[in-house]
PDB file of all heavy atoms in Angstrom:
ATOM      1  N   MET A   1      26.729 -16.746   3.539  1.00  0.00           N
ATOM      2  CA  MET A   1      26.244 -17.854   2.874  1.00  0.00           C
ATOM      3  C   MET A   1      24.957 -18.430   3.415  1.00  0.00           C
ATOM      4  O   MET A   1      24.038 -18.895   2.703  1.00  0.00           O
ATOM      5  CB  MET A   1      27.225 -19.006   2.859  1.00  0.00           C
ATOM      6  CG  MET A   1      28.467 -18.594   2.042  1.00  0.00           C
ATOM      7  SD  MET A   1      28.165 -18.146   0.236  1.00  0.00           S
ATOM      8  CE  MET A   1      27.479 -19.650  -0.309  1.00  0.00           C
ATOM      9  N   LYS A   2      24.829 -18.313   4.717  1.00  0.00           N
ATOM     10  CA  LYS A   2      23.496 -18.785   5.360  1.00  0.00           C
ATOM     11  C   LYS A   2      22.389 -17.781   4.821  1.00  0.00           C
ATOM     12  O   LYS A   2      21.199 -18.197   4.672  1.00  0.00           O
ATOM     13  CB  LYS A   2      23.719 -18.756   6.810  1.00  0.00           C
ATOM     14  CG  LYS A   2      22.476 -19.185   7.605  1.00  0.00           C
ATOM     15  CD  LYS A   2      22.664 -19.134   9.108  1.00  0.00           C
ATOM     16  CE  LYS A   2      21.454 -19.553   9.906  1.00  0.00           C
ATOM     17  NZ  LYS A   2      21.508 -19.386  11.424  1.00  0.00           N
ATOM     18  N   LYS A   3      22.605 -16.479   4.752  1.00  0.00           N
ATOM     19  CA  LYS A   3      21.515 -15.603   4.300  1.00  0.00           C
ATOM     20  C   LYS A   3      21.201 -16.047   2.856  1.00  0.00           C
ATOM     21  O   LYS A   3      19.945 -16.018   2.513  1.00  0.00           O
ATOM     22  CB  LYS A   3      22.165 -14.200   4.286  1.00  0.00           C
ATOM     23  CG  LYS A   3      22.284 -13.509   5.551  1.00  0.00           C
ATOM     24  CD  LYS A   3      22.726 -12.010   5.262  1.00  0.00           C
ATOM     25  CE  LYS A   3      23.047 -11.235   6.532  1.00  0.00           C
ATOM     26  NZ  LYS A   3      23.460  -9.920   6.147  1.00  0.00           N
ATOM     27  N   ILE A   4      22.075 -16.327   1.987  1.00  0.00           N
ATOM     28  CA  ILE A   4      21.777 -16.731   0.652  1.00  0.00           C
ATOM     29  C   ILE A   4      21.032 -18.025   0.632  1.00  0.00           C
ATOM     30  O   ILE A   4      20.132 -18.118  -0.209  1.00  0.00           O
ATOM     31  CB  ILE A   4      23.056 -16.763  -0.222  1.00  0.00           C
ATOM     32  CG1 ILE A   4      23.805 -15.328  -0.160  1.00  0.00           C
ATOM     33  CG2 ILE A   4      22.732 -17.183  -1.530  1.00  0.00           C
ATOM     34  CD1 ILE A   4      25.135 -15.383  -0.920  1.00  0.00           C
ATOM     35  N   ARG A   5      21.479 -18.899   1.386  1.00  0.00           N
ATOM     36  CA  ARG A   5      20.931 -20.326   1.283  1.00  0.00           C
ATOM     37  C   ARG A   5      19.538 -20.317   1.819  1.00  0.00           C
ATOM     38  O   ARG A   5      18.619 -20.860   1.328  1.00  0.00           O
ATOM     39  CB  ARG A   5      21.721 -21.211   2.084  1.00  0.00           C
ATOM     40  CG  ARG A   5      21.391 -22.650   1.993  1.00  0.00           C
ATOM     41  CD  ARG A   5      22.253 -23.593   2.722  1.00  0.00           C
ATOM     42  NE  ARG A   5      22.427 -23.363   4.163  1.00  0.00           N
ATOM     43  CZ  ARG A   5      23.373 -22.768   4.807  1.00  0.00           C
ATOM     44  NH1 ARG A   5      24.399 -22.288   4.012  1.00  0.00           N
ATOM     45  NH2 ARG A   5      23.404 -22.615   6.119  1.00  0.00           N
ATOM     46  N   THR A   6      19.362 -19.693   3.040  1.00  0.00           N
ATOM     47  CA  THR A   6      17.956 -19.693   3.609  1.00  0.00           C
ATOM     48  C   THR A   6      17.000 -18.582   3.259  1.00  0.00           C
ATOM     49  O   THR A   6      15.791 -18.642   3.502  1.00  0.00           O
ATOM     50  CB  THR A   6      18.148 -19.678   5.171  1.00  0.00           C
ATOM     51  OG1 THR A   6      18.760 -18.539   5.670  1.00  0.00           O
ATOM     52  CG2 THR A   6      19.153 -20.820   5.688  1.00  0.00           C
ATOM     53  N   LYS A   7      17.692 -17.484   2.771  1.00  0.00           N
ATOM     54  CA  LYS A   7      16.877 -16.153   2.476  1.00  0.00           C
ATOM     55  C   LYS A   7      16.147 -15.687   3.721  1.00  0.00           C
ATOM     56  O   LYS A   7      15.219 -15.006   3.549  1.00  0.00           O
ATOM     57  CB  LYS A   7      15.847 -16.478   1.441  1.00  0.00           C
ATOM     58  CG  LYS A   7      16.432 -16.874   0.028  1.00  0.00           C
ATOM     59  CD  LYS A   7      15.549 -17.215  -0.948  1.00  0.00           C
ATOM     60  CE  LYS A   7      16.020 -17.384  -2.393  1.00  0.00           C
ATOM     61  NZ  LYS A   7      17.018 -18.555  -2.388  1.00  0.00           N
ATOM     62  N   ARG A   8      16.780 -16.001   4.956  1.00  0.00           N
ATOM     63  CA  ARG A   8      16.324 -15.528   6.193  1.00  0.00           C
ATOM     64  C   ARG A   8      17.316 -15.039   7.075  1.00  0.00           C
ATOM     65  O   ARG A   8      18.431 -15.398   6.994  1.00  0.00           O
ATOM     66  CB  ARG A   8      15.518 -16.700   6.943  1.00  0.00           C
ATOM     67  CG  ARG A   8      14.402 -17.446   6.246  1.00  0.00           C
ATOM     68  CD  ARG A   8      13.102 -16.432   6.164  1.00  0.00           C
ATOM     69  NE  ARG A   8      12.088 -16.953   5.499  1.00  0.00           N
ATOM     70  CZ  ARG A   8      10.943 -16.403   5.294  1.00  0.00           C
ATOM     71  NH1 ARG A   8      10.635 -15.390   5.905  1.00  0.00           N
ATOM     72  NH2 ARG A   8       9.959 -16.801   4.605  1.00  0.00           N
ATOM     73  N   LEU A   9      16.907 -14.106   7.907  1.00  0.00           N
ATOM     74  CA  LEU A   9      17.845 -13.545   8.931  1.00  0.00           C
ATOM     75  C   LEU A   9      17.756 -14.402  10.192  1.00  0.00           C
ATOM     76  O   LEU A   9      16.886 -15.288  10.246  1.00  0.00           O
ATOM     77  CB  LEU A   9      17.489 -12.214   9.235  1.00  0.00           C
ATOM     78  CG  LEU A   9      17.630 -11.079   8.045  1.00  0.00           C
ATOM     79  CD1 LEU A   9      17.157  -9.730   8.491  1.00  0.00           C
ATOM     80  CD2 LEU A   9      19.109 -10.983   7.636  1.00  0.00           C
ATOM     81  N   ASP A  10      18.563 -14.121  11.222  1.00  0.00           N
ATOM     82  CA  ASP A  10      18.563 -14.947  12.512  1.00  0.00           C
ATOM     83  C   ASP A  10      17.206 -14.877  13.084  1.00  0.00           C
ATOM     84  O   ASP A  10      16.811 -15.784  13.864  1.00  0.00           O
ATOM     85  CB  ASP A  10      19.678 -14.429  13.304  1.00  0.00           C
ATOM     86  CG  ASP A  10      21.076 -14.795  12.767  1.00  0.00           C
ATOM     87  OD1 ASP A  10      21.138 -15.755  12.001  1.00  0.00           O
ATOM     88  OD2 ASP A  10      22.001 -14.187  13.218  1.00  0.00           O
ATOM     89  N   ASP A  11      16.371 -13.725  12.931  1.00  0.00           N
ATOM     90  CA  ASP A  11      15.178 -13.600  13.616  1.00  0.00           C
ATOM     91  C   ASP A  11      14.058 -14.134  12.847  1.00  0.00           C
ATOM     92  O   ASP A  11      12.846 -14.036  13.143  1.00  0.00           O
ATOM     93  CB  ASP A  11      14.885 -12.006  13.920  1.00  0.00           C
ATOM     94  CG  ASP A  11      14.813 -11.214  12.560  1.00  0.00           C
ATOM     95  OD1 ASP A  11      14.902 -11.794  11.516  1.00  0.00           O
ATOM     96  OD2 ASP A  11      14.644 -10.078  12.595  1.00  0.00           O
ATOM     97  N   GLY A  12      14.358 -14.873  11.761  1.00  0.00           N
ATOM     98  CA  GLY A  12      13.368 -15.514  10.865  1.00  0.00           C
ATOM     99  C   GLY A  12      12.775 -14.649   9.770  1.00  0.00           C
ATOM    100  O   GLY A  12      11.964 -15.224   8.968  1.00  0.00           O
ATOM    101  N   SER A  13      13.073 -13.434   9.641  1.00  0.00           N
ATOM    102  CA  SER A  13      12.425 -12.497   8.705  1.00  0.00           C
ATOM    103  C   SER A  13      13.236 -12.549   7.479  1.00  0.00           C
ATOM    104  O   SER A  13      14.410 -13.069   7.432  1.00  0.00           O
ATOM    105  CB  SER A  13      12.528 -11.109   9.255  1.00  0.00           C
ATOM    106  OG  SER A  13      13.810 -10.629   9.437  1.00  0.00           O
ATOM    107  N   ARG A  14      12.585 -12.147   6.420  1.00  0.00           N
ATOM    108  CA  ARG A  14      13.224 -12.186   5.014  1.00  0.00           C
ATOM    109  C   ARG A  14      14.461 -11.397   4.860  1.00  0.00           C
ATOM    110  O   ARG A  14      14.594 -10.184   5.423  1.00  0.00           O
ATOM    111  CB  ARG A  14      12.269 -11.827   3.979  1.00  0.00           C
ATOM    112  CG  ARG A  14      11.057 -12.701   3.819  1.00  0.00           C
ATOM    113  CD  ARG A  14      11.339 -13.822   2.872  1.00  0.00           C
ATOM    114  NE  ARG A  14      11.786 -13.464   1.581  1.00  0.00           N
ATOM    115  CZ  ARG A  14      11.950 -14.248   0.597  1.00  0.00           C
ATOM    116  NH1 ARG A  14      11.847 -15.588   0.721  1.00  0.00           N
ATOM    117  NH2 ARG A  14      12.389 -13.913  -0.605  1.00  0.00           N
ATOM    118  N   VAL A  15      15.439 -11.814   4.035  1.00  0.00           N
ATOM    119  CA  VAL A  15      16.533 -11.018   3.683  1.00  0.00           C
ATOM    120  C   VAL A  15      16.037 -10.220   2.444  1.00  0.00           C
ATOM    121  O   VAL A  15      15.319 -10.733   1.704  1.00  0.00           O
ATOM    122  CB  VAL A  15      17.734 -11.886   3.258  1.00  0.00           C
ATOM    123  CG1 VAL A  15      18.945 -11.035   3.050  1.00  0.00           C
ATOM    124  CG2 VAL A  15      18.131 -12.837   4.380  1.00  0.00           C
ATOM    125  N   HIS A  16      16.585  -9.010   2.403  1.00  0.00           N
ATOM    126  CA  HIS A  16      16.255  -8.049   1.306  1.00  0.00           C
ATOM    127  C   HIS A  16      17.504  -7.754   0.393  1.00  0.00           C
ATOM    128  O   HIS A  16      18.541  -7.735   0.832  1.00  0.00           O
ATOM    129  CB  HIS A  16      15.576  -6.820   1.741  1.00  0.00           C
ATOM    130  CG  HIS A  16      14.232  -6.936   2.074  1.00  0.00           C
ATOM    131  ND1 HIS A  16      13.122  -6.908   1.271  1.00  0.00           N
ATOM    132  CD2 HIS A  16      13.695  -7.159   3.413  1.00  0.00           C
ATOM    133  CE1 HIS A  16      12.039  -6.931   1.958  1.00  0.00           C
ATOM    134  NE2 HIS A  16      12.246  -7.071   3.189  1.00  0.00           N
ATOM    135  N   SER A  17      17.153  -7.345  -0.911  1.00  0.00           N
ATOM    136  CA  SER A  17      18.104  -6.652  -1.633  1.00  0.00           C
ATOM    137  C   SER A  17      17.919  -5.137  -1.341  1.00  0.00           C
ATOM    138  O   SER A  17      16.880  -4.752  -0.688  1.00  0.00           O
ATOM    139  CB  SER A  17      17.860  -6.860  -3.176  1.00  0.00           C
ATOM    140  OG  SER A  17      16.611  -6.316  -3.531  1.00  0.00           O
ATOM    141  N   PHE A  18      18.784  -4.260  -1.776  1.00  0.00           N
ATOM    142  CA  PHE A  18      18.548  -2.859  -1.527  1.00  0.00           C
ATOM    143  C   PHE A  18      17.315  -2.481  -2.159  1.00  0.00           C
ATOM    144  O   PHE A  18      16.570  -1.585  -1.461  1.00  0.00           O
ATOM    145  CB  PHE A  18      19.763  -2.140  -2.218  1.00  0.00           C
ATOM    146  CG  PHE A  18      19.638  -0.655  -2.090  1.00  0.00           C
ATOM    147  CD1 PHE A  18      19.847   0.032  -0.834  1.00  0.00           C
ATOM    148  CD2 PHE A  18      19.281   0.197  -3.111  1.00  0.00           C
ATOM    149  CE1 PHE A  18      19.743   1.450  -0.687  1.00  0.00           C
ATOM    150  CE2 PHE A  18      19.136   1.525  -3.107  1.00  0.00           C
ATOM    151  CZ  PHE A  18      19.359   2.144  -1.891  1.00  0.00           C
ATOM    152  N   ARG A  19      17.059  -2.747  -3.481  1.00  0.00           N
ATOM    153  CA  ARG A  19      15.835  -2.302  -4.112  1.00  0.00           C
ATOM    154  C   ARG A  19      14.542  -2.857  -3.384  1.00  0.00           C
ATOM    155  O   ARG A  19      13.609  -2.105  -3.245  1.00  0.00           O
ATOM    156  CB  ARG A  19      15.898  -2.794  -5.612  1.00  0.00           C
ATOM    157  CG  ARG A  19      14.703  -2.287  -6.409  1.00  0.00           C
ATOM    158  CD  ARG A  19      14.635  -0.726  -6.502  1.00  0.00           C
ATOM    159  NE  ARG A  19      15.823   0.035  -6.689  1.00  0.00           N
ATOM    160  CZ  ARG A  19      15.865   1.275  -6.675  1.00  0.00           C
ATOM    161  NH1 ARG A  19      14.935   2.083  -6.334  1.00  0.00           N
ATOM    162  NH2 ARG A  19      16.984   1.883  -6.966  1.00  0.00           N
ATOM    163  N   SER A  20      14.493  -4.094  -3.007  1.00  0.00           N
ATOM    164  CA  SER A  20      13.268  -4.663  -2.389  1.00  0.00           C
ATOM    165  C   SER A  20      13.097  -4.062  -0.970  1.00  0.00           C
ATOM    166  O   SER A  20      11.891  -3.914  -0.535  1.00  0.00           O
ATOM    167  CB  SER A  20      13.474  -6.273  -2.261  1.00  0.00           C
ATOM    168  OG  SER A  20      14.487  -6.658  -1.301  1.00  0.00           O
ATOM    169  N   LEU A  21      14.178  -3.726  -0.309  1.00  0.00           N
ATOM    170  CA  LEU A  21      14.011  -3.016   1.060  1.00  0.00           C
ATOM    171  C   LEU A  21      13.454  -1.675   0.844  1.00  0.00           C
ATOM    172  O   LEU A  21      12.571  -1.294   1.646  1.00  0.00           O
ATOM    173  CB  LEU A  21      15.362  -3.062   1.755  1.00  0.00           C
ATOM    174  CG  LEU A  21      15.296  -2.471   3.254  1.00  0.00           C
ATOM    175  CD1 LEU A  21      14.291  -3.163   4.119  1.00  0.00           C
ATOM    176  CD2 LEU A  21      16.723  -2.512   3.869  1.00  0.00           C
ATOM    177  N   LEU A  22      13.858  -1.059  -0.117  1.00  0.00           N
ATOM    178  CA  LEU A  22      13.143   0.247  -0.406  1.00  0.00           C
ATOM    179  C   LEU A  22      11.683   0.120  -0.777  1.00  0.00           C
ATOM    180  O   LEU A  22      10.885   0.983  -0.211  1.00  0.00           O
ATOM    181  CB  LEU A  22      13.951   1.031  -1.517  1.00  0.00           C
ATOM    182  CG  LEU A  22      15.099   1.871  -1.342  1.00  0.00           C
ATOM    183  CD1 LEU A  22      15.614   2.437  -2.573  1.00  0.00           C
ATOM    184  CD2 LEU A  22      14.812   2.976  -0.229  1.00  0.00           C
ATOM    185  N   GLY A  23      11.399  -0.948  -1.484  1.00  0.00           N
ATOM    186  CA  GLY A  23      10.060  -1.270  -1.865  1.00  0.00           C
ATOM    187  C   GLY A  23       9.288  -1.590  -0.573  1.00  0.00           C
ATOM    188  O   GLY A  23       8.100  -1.000  -0.417  1.00  0.00           O
ATOM    189  N   HIS A  24       9.784  -2.280   0.342  1.00  0.00           N
ATOM    190  CA  HIS A  24       9.202  -2.558   1.691  1.00  0.00           C
ATOM    191  C   HIS A  24       9.009  -1.288   2.479  1.00  0.00           C
ATOM    192  O   HIS A  24       7.828  -1.176   3.038  1.00  0.00           O
ATOM    193  CB  HIS A  24      10.121  -3.551   2.422  1.00  0.00           C
ATOM    194  CG  HIS A  24       9.499  -4.046   3.738  1.00  0.00           C
ATOM    195  ND1 HIS A  24       8.218  -4.623   3.781  1.00  0.00           N
ATOM    196  CD2 HIS A  24       9.844  -3.913   5.005  1.00  0.00           C
ATOM    197  CE1 HIS A  24       7.956  -4.965   5.027  1.00  0.00           C
ATOM    198  NE2 HIS A  24       8.867  -4.519   5.793  1.00  0.00           N
ATOM    199  N   LEU A  25       9.921  -0.412   2.478  1.00  0.00           N
ATOM    200  CA  LEU A  25       9.593   0.792   3.220  1.00  0.00           C
ATOM    201  C   LEU A  25       8.654   1.678   2.536  1.00  0.00           C
ATOM    202  O   LEU A  25       7.896   2.548   3.184  1.00  0.00           O
ATOM    203  CB  LEU A  25      10.969   1.671   3.248  1.00  0.00           C
ATOM    204  CG  LEU A  25      11.928   0.955   4.234  1.00  0.00           C
ATOM    205  CD1 LEU A  25      13.349   1.788   4.136  1.00  0.00           C
ATOM    206  CD2 LEU A  25      11.640   0.851   5.605  1.00  0.00           C
ATOM    207  N   GLY A  26       8.527   1.582   1.114  1.00  0.00           N
ATOM    208  CA  GLY A  26       7.527   2.303   0.406  1.00  0.00           C
ATOM    209  C   GLY A  26       6.085   2.039   0.739  1.00  0.00           C
ATOM    210  O   GLY A  26       5.144   2.647   0.533  1.00  0.00           O
ATOM    211  N   SER A  27       5.883   0.864   1.442  1.00  0.00           N
ATOM    212  CA  SER A  27       4.477   0.478   2.028  1.00  0.00           C
ATOM    213  C   SER A  27       4.025   1.249   3.092  1.00  0.00           C
ATOM    214  O   SER A  27       2.887   1.384   3.349  1.00  0.00           O
ATOM    215  CB  SER A  27       4.557  -0.970   2.310  1.00  0.00           C
ATOM    216  OG  SER A  27       5.346  -1.306   3.482  1.00  0.00           O
ATOM    217  N   ILE A  28       5.046   2.044   3.735  1.00  0.00           N
ATOM    218  CA  ILE A  28       4.512   3.069   4.687  1.00  0.00           C
ATOM    219  C   ILE A  28       3.984   4.227   3.963  1.00  0.00           C
ATOM    220  O   ILE A  28       4.699   4.916   3.063  1.00  0.00           O
ATOM    221  CB  ILE A  28       5.798   3.620   5.610  1.00  0.00           C
ATOM    222  CG1 ILE A  28       6.443   2.298   6.263  1.00  0.00           C
ATOM    223  CG2 ILE A  28       5.383   4.597   6.522  1.00  0.00           C
ATOM    224  CD1 ILE A  28       7.754   2.694   7.078  1.00  0.00           C
ATOM    225  N   VAL A  29       2.699   4.619   4.306  1.00  0.00           N
ATOM    226  CA  VAL A  29       2.100   5.748   3.579  1.00  0.00           C
ATOM    227  C   VAL A  29       1.748   6.794   4.643  1.00  0.00           C
ATOM    228  O   VAL A  29       1.693   6.522   5.806  1.00  0.00           O
ATOM    229  CB  VAL A  29       0.873   5.334   2.820  1.00  0.00           C
ATOM    230  CG1 VAL A  29       1.172   4.249   1.836  1.00  0.00           C
ATOM    231  CG2 VAL A  29      -0.194   4.740   3.846  1.00  0.00           C
ATOM    232  N   ARG A  30       1.608   8.018   4.111  1.00  0.00           N
ATOM    233  CA  ARG A  30       1.171   9.132   4.935  1.00  0.00           C
ATOM    234  C   ARG A  30      -0.291   9.470   4.584  1.00  0.00           C
ATOM    235  O   ARG A  30      -0.378  10.108   3.383  1.00  0.00           O
ATOM    236  CB  ARG A  30       2.013  10.300   4.931  1.00  0.00           C
ATOM    237  CG  ARG A  30       1.769  11.386   5.927  1.00  0.00           C
ATOM    238  CD  ARG A  30       2.744  12.545   5.800  1.00  0.00           C
ATOM    239  NE  ARG A  30       2.647  13.262   4.600  1.00  0.00           N
ATOM    240  CZ  ARG A  30       3.358  14.307   4.256  1.00  0.00           C
ATOM    241  NH1 ARG A  30       4.403  14.713   4.992  1.00  0.00           N
ATOM    242  NH2 ARG A  30       3.120  14.808   3.092  1.00  0.00           N
ATOM    243  N   ALA A  31      -1.181   9.099   5.231  1.00  0.00           N
ATOM    244  CA  ALA A  31      -2.552   9.275   4.824  1.00  0.00           C
ATOM    245  C   ALA A  31      -3.201  10.702   5.327  1.00  0.00           C
ATOM    246  O   ALA A  31      -2.924  11.015   6.550  1.00  0.00           O
ATOM    247  CB  ALA A  31      -3.489   8.205   5.362  1.00  0.00           C
ATOM    248  N   THR A  32      -3.848  11.460   4.492  1.00  0.00           N
ATOM    249  CA  THR A  32      -4.467  12.714   4.925  1.00  0.00           C
ATOM    250  C   THR A  32      -5.996  12.361   5.012  1.00  0.00           C
ATOM    251  O   THR A  32      -6.623  11.933   4.089  1.00  0.00           O
ATOM    252  CB  THR A  32      -4.200  13.771   3.841  1.00  0.00           C
ATOM    253  OG1 THR A  32      -2.727  13.953   3.666  1.00  0.00           O
ATOM    254  CG2 THR A  32      -4.820  15.153   4.298  1.00  0.00           C
ATOM    255  N   CYS A  33      -6.497  12.653   6.201  1.00  0.00           N
ATOM    256  CA  CYS A  33      -7.860  12.297   6.510  1.00  0.00           C
ATOM    257  C   CYS A  33      -8.723  13.548   6.894  1.00  0.00           C
ATOM    258  O   CYS A  33      -8.201  14.555   7.262  1.00  0.00           O
ATOM    259  CB  CYS A  33      -7.904  11.240   7.611  1.00  0.00           C
ATOM    260  SG  CYS A  33      -6.765   9.841   7.424  1.00  0.00           S
ATOM    261  N   HIS A  34      -9.981  13.265   6.708  1.00  0.00           N
ATOM    262  CA  HIS A  34     -10.947  14.329   7.298  1.00  0.00           C
ATOM    263  C   HIS A  34     -12.284  13.695   7.675  1.00  0.00           C
ATOM    264  O   HIS A  34     -12.446  12.480   7.330  1.00  0.00           O
ATOM    265  CB  HIS A  34     -11.226  15.440   6.209  1.00  0.00           C
ATOM    266  CG  HIS A  34     -12.088  15.050   5.137  1.00  0.00           C
ATOM    267  ND1 HIS A  34     -13.148  15.704   4.600  1.00  0.00           N
ATOM    268  CD2 HIS A  34     -12.114  13.806   4.287  1.00  0.00           C
ATOM    269  CE1 HIS A  34     -13.683  14.998   3.611  1.00  0.00           C
ATOM    270  NE2 HIS A  34     -13.114  13.901   3.449  1.00  0.00           N
ATOM    271  N   CYS A  35     -13.087  14.409   8.424  1.00  0.00           N
ATOM    272  CA  CYS A  35     -14.315  13.688   8.894  1.00  0.00           C
ATOM    273  C   CYS A  35     -15.371  13.399   7.837  1.00  0.00           C
ATOM    274  O   CYS A  35     -15.500  14.239   6.916  1.00  0.00           O
ATOM    275  CB  CYS A  35     -14.993  14.676   9.962  1.00  0.00           C
ATOM    276  SG  CYS A  35     -13.882  14.807  11.461  1.00  0.00           S
ATOM    277  N   SER A  36     -15.873  12.302   7.931  1.00  0.00           N
ATOM    278  CA  SER A  36     -16.883  11.874   6.879  1.00  0.00           C
ATOM    279  C   SER A  36     -18.035  12.924   6.847  1.00  0.00           C
ATOM    280  O   SER A  36     -18.619  13.227   7.773  1.00  0.00           O
ATOM    281  CB  SER A  36     -17.382  10.464   7.275  1.00  0.00           C
ATOM    282  OG  SER A  36     -16.364   9.613   7.184  1.00  0.00           O
ATOM    283  N   GLY A  37     -18.419  13.164   5.615  1.00  0.00           N
ATOM    284  CA  GLY A  37     -19.572  14.099   5.417  1.00  0.00           C
ATOM    285  C   GLY A  37     -19.232  15.489   5.606  1.00  0.00           C
ATOM    286  O   GLY A  37     -20.093  16.368   5.277  1.00  0.00           O
ATOM    287  N   GLU A  38     -18.056  15.844   5.992  1.00  0.00           N
ATOM    288  CA  GLU A  38     -17.736  17.282   6.170  1.00  0.00           C
ATOM    289  C   GLU A  38     -17.305  17.833   4.748  1.00  0.00           C
ATOM    290  O   GLU A  38     -16.507  17.352   4.060  1.00  0.00           O
ATOM    291  CB  GLU A  38     -16.573  17.379   7.130  1.00  0.00           C
ATOM    292  CG  GLU A  38     -16.231  18.867   7.524  1.00  0.00           C
ATOM    293  CD  GLU A  38     -15.148  18.929   8.472  1.00  0.00           C
ATOM    294  OE1 GLU A  38     -15.158  18.147   9.587  1.00  0.00           O
ATOM    295  OE2 GLU A  38     -14.150  19.743   8.429  1.00  0.00           O
ATOM    296  N   LYS A  39     -18.005  18.968   4.431  1.00  0.00           N
ATOM    297  CA  LYS A  39     -17.865  19.542   3.120  1.00  0.00           C
ATOM    298  C   LYS A  39     -16.555  20.319   3.065  1.00  0.00           C
ATOM    299  O   LYS A  39     -15.864  20.401   2.011  1.00  0.00           O
ATOM    300  CB  LYS A  39     -18.889  20.504   2.890  1.00  0.00           C
ATOM    301  CG  LYS A  39     -20.358  19.802   2.638  1.00  0.00           C
ATOM    302  CD  LYS A  39     -21.435  20.667   2.251  1.00  0.00           C
ATOM    303  CE  LYS A  39     -22.725  19.932   2.047  1.00  0.00           C
ATOM    304  NZ  LYS A  39     -23.822  20.908   1.650  1.00  0.00           N
ATOM    305  N   ASP A  40     -16.066  20.889   4.085  1.00  0.00           N
ATOM    306  CA  ASP A  40     -14.788  21.577   4.205  1.00  0.00           C
ATOM    307  C   ASP A  40     -13.663  20.624   4.344  1.00  0.00           C
ATOM    308  O   ASP A  40     -13.401  20.056   5.430  1.00  0.00           O
ATOM    309  CB  ASP A  40     -14.856  22.566   5.416  1.00  0.00           C
ATOM    310  CG  ASP A  40     -13.566  23.414   5.464  1.00  0.00           C
ATOM    311  OD1 ASP A  40     -12.792  23.460   4.390  1.00  0.00           O
ATOM    312  OD2 ASP A  40     -13.383  24.169   6.433  1.00  0.00           O
ATOM    313  N   THR A  41     -13.037  20.419   3.201  1.00  0.00           N
ATOM    314  CA  THR A  41     -11.879  19.511   3.183  1.00  0.00           C
ATOM    315  C   THR A  41     -10.555  19.988   3.699  1.00  0.00           C
ATOM    316  O   THR A  41      -9.479  19.346   3.682  1.00  0.00           O
ATOM    317  CB  THR A  41     -11.678  18.938   1.773  1.00  0.00           C
ATOM    318  OG1 THR A  41     -11.377  20.079   0.812  1.00  0.00           O
ATOM    319  CG2 THR A  41     -12.893  18.139   1.215  1.00  0.00           C
ATOM    320  N   SER A  42     -10.529  21.352   4.057  1.00  0.00           N
ATOM    321  CA  SER A  42      -9.311  21.977   4.537  1.00  0.00           C
ATOM    322  C   SER A  42      -9.024  21.512   5.993  1.00  0.00           C
ATOM    323  O   SER A  42      -7.882  21.619   6.377  1.00  0.00           O
ATOM    324  CB  SER A  42      -9.449  23.452   4.401  1.00  0.00           C
ATOM    325  OG  SER A  42     -10.476  23.916   5.286  1.00  0.00           O
ATOM    326  N   ASN A  43     -10.040  21.116   6.590  1.00  0.00           N
ATOM    327  CA  ASN A  43      -9.834  20.595   8.111  1.00  0.00           C
ATOM    328  C   ASN A  43      -9.448  19.052   8.072  1.00  0.00           C
ATOM    329  O   ASN A  43     -10.213  18.177   8.210  1.00  0.00           O
ATOM    330  CB  ASN A  43     -11.079  20.869   8.812  1.00  0.00           C
ATOM    331  CG  ASN A  43     -10.951  20.500  10.356  1.00  0.00           C
ATOM    332  OD1 ASN A  43      -9.850  20.628  10.815  1.00  0.00           O
ATOM    333  ND2 ASN A  43     -11.966  20.257  11.043  1.00  0.00           N
ATOM    334  N   THR A  44      -8.146  18.868   7.855  1.00  0.00           N
ATOM    335  CA  THR A  44      -7.667  17.553   7.771  1.00  0.00           C
ATOM    336  C   THR A  44      -6.533  17.302   8.695  1.00  0.00           C
ATOM    337  O   THR A  44      -6.037  18.156   9.448  1.00  0.00           O
ATOM    338  CB  THR A  44      -7.015  17.286   6.323  1.00  0.00           C
ATOM    339  OG1 THR A  44      -5.969  18.223   6.170  1.00  0.00           O
ATOM    340  CG2 THR A  44      -8.121  17.484   5.249  1.00  0.00           C
TER     341      THR A  44
END
């Protein structure tokens, strides 16, 4: 009931629903990079 009332965990962070927690994890991205100006994009 405390979670529902405050919408916070004991550490002060937000409580999530299953769907919102998946969305929060979806903010983690895997970026593929290469050196600027390099024409060969296979070297990433």
Side-chain angles (χ1 to χ4, degrees):
M1 291 304 297
K2 182 181 178 182
K3 285 184 186 179
I4 296 171
R5 185 176 64 256
T6 65
K7 297 180 175 57
R8 299 283 172 180
L9 299 175
D10 291 339
D11 62 3
S13 63
R14 291 276 303 184
V15 185
H16 279 280
S17 66
F18 175 75
R19 185 57 52 187
S20 69
L21 183 54
L22 275 182
H24 183 56
L25 294 175
S27 64
I28 299 174
V29 301
R30 190 180 67 184
T32 303
C33 311
H34 73 131
C35 293
S36 299
E38 188 174 316
K39 295 182 179 181
D40 183 9
T41 58
S42 62
N43 186 21
T44 61

